[in-house]
Amino acid sequence: MLAILAAIVFGFALLLDLLDTDFGAPNLFNWNTLVLIGLFLLSLYLGGVGSGPRGGGGGGRWYRGRRPGRG
């Protein structure tokens, strides 16, 4: 979820840069602030906060022990 929010923030920063506007709030919507917010969200995501990738199992079928019917 945090990675998606970071992507939205970076997309918004790119849009502001491409349109060369600040929507009338130069201190709130400047490029540096949005990039820092995006990097902060990415660092939280990579640090394990939120519902990021989890180590371990995966989605495969793992069966431990002897399978019935096999010799």
Side-chain angles (χ1 to χ4, degrees):
M1 183 69 182
L2 289 173
I4 295 171
L5 289 175
I8 291 171
V9 169
F10 284 136
F12 187 66
L14 178 64
L15 184 68
L16 287 179
D17 189 40
L18 291 176
L19 295 177
D20 197 29
T21 184
D22 56 9
F23 295 119
N27 293 329
L28 180 62
F29 294 120
N30 61 15
W31 187 83
N32 292 331
T33 303
L34 291 175
V35 168
L36 287 176
I37 290 171
L39 288 174
F40 176 69
L41 291 173
L42 278 179
S43 66
L44 287 177
Y45 171 75
L46 293 174
V49 177
S51 60
R54 290 177 174 80
R61 273 182 77 180
W62 289 89
Y63 183 82
R64 301 200 189 276
R66 194 173 144 201
R67 294 183 181 231
R70 297 199 176 195

